[in-house]
Amino acid sequence: MLIRRVSILAVAMIALGSTIALAKPTLLSRQVIAQNPTSVTRPNRAKSGGWLKDLNLTSQQLQQIKQIRNQSKQQIAQKSQEIRQGQQELHDLIAGTTSKEQVRDKYNQIKLVKQQLADTQFENTLAIREILNPEQRQKFAERMYKKNSRQNPPPPAQHN
């Protein structure tokens, strides 16, 4: 009986750990989040005027980017809500008496929705990239990777 309880606890910890790891935004989702202003003021955005200003975009480019954002805004919001709801359901399933297969099914559903969200965000990135000139693309890429390296520093080197 003790082994069964320990096994269930181990599965729950692994499932929750995997969910948390998947919930961590990727490079592309961070970039798209940076595209979608929120009510939260970001200090570096306030200082620099945002990534749009840094790229010296024309009014036509700004309009095109706004259109790209608006086209997927609803879909991104819906997928994000589905993920939050699914994670809560997964939490409840893990805490309950549901079978391992049902917990795994819920986990896979969440994983699928996260992939769909990442795909949408990536398509936005590609669409925005298409309207930028080579110099703007360079700045755009540098900003994306610079931001990613601050948020996900490389692991420390292991000394043998």
Side-chain angles (χ1 to χ4, degrees), residues 15-34:
L16 282 176
S18 299
T19 301
I20 291 169
L22 286 172
K24 186 174 184 179
T26 63
L27 166 65
L28 293 173
S29 63
R30 278 190 209 99
Q31 184 271 322
V32 173
I33 289 168

Side-chain angles (χ1 to χ4, degrees), residues 30-55:
R30 278 190 209 99
Q31 184 271 322
V32 173
I33 289 168
Q35 295 173 18
N36 295 317
T38 63
S39 59
V40 176
T41 304
R42 295 183 184 105
N44 59 349
R45 177 177 284 212
K47 277 193 283 184
S48 68
W51 68 272
L52 292 174
K53 199 170 191 177
D54 294 344
L55 296 179

Side-chain angles (χ1 to χ4, degrees), residues 31-88:
Q31 184 271 322
V32 173
I33 289 168
Q35 295 173 18
N36 295 317
T38 63
S39 59
V40 176
T41 304
R42 295 183 184 105
N44 59 349
R45 177 177 284 212
K47 277 193 283 184
S48 68
W51 68 272
L52 292 174
K53 199 170 191 177
D54 294 344
L55 296 179
N56 297 322
L57 299 168
T58 65
S59 59
Q60 182 180 4
Q61 287 174 315
L62 285 169
Q63 188 62 33
Q64 288 173 314
I65 290 172
K66 185 177 180 180
Q67 185 178 6
I68 290 166
R69 288 178 176 170
N70 287 338
Q71 286 174 346
S72 61
K73 187 177 184 179
Q74 183 65 32
Q75 184 180 10
I76 289 172
Q78 178 187 0
K79 295 294 181 194
S80 297
Q81 177 60 32
E82 282 181 51
I83 291 167
R84 284 189 296 275
Q85 181 179 346
Q87 287 173 330
Q88 181 59 50

Side-chain angles (χ1 to χ4, degrees), residues 10 12 20 23 34 41-42 69 83 101 108 116 130 134 137 143:
I20 291 169
T41 304
R42 295 183 184 105
R69 288 178 176 170
I83 291 167
E101 289 76 23
N108 287 330
Q116 292 168 347
E130 288 303 308
R137 284 183 182 184
R143 187 166 176 98

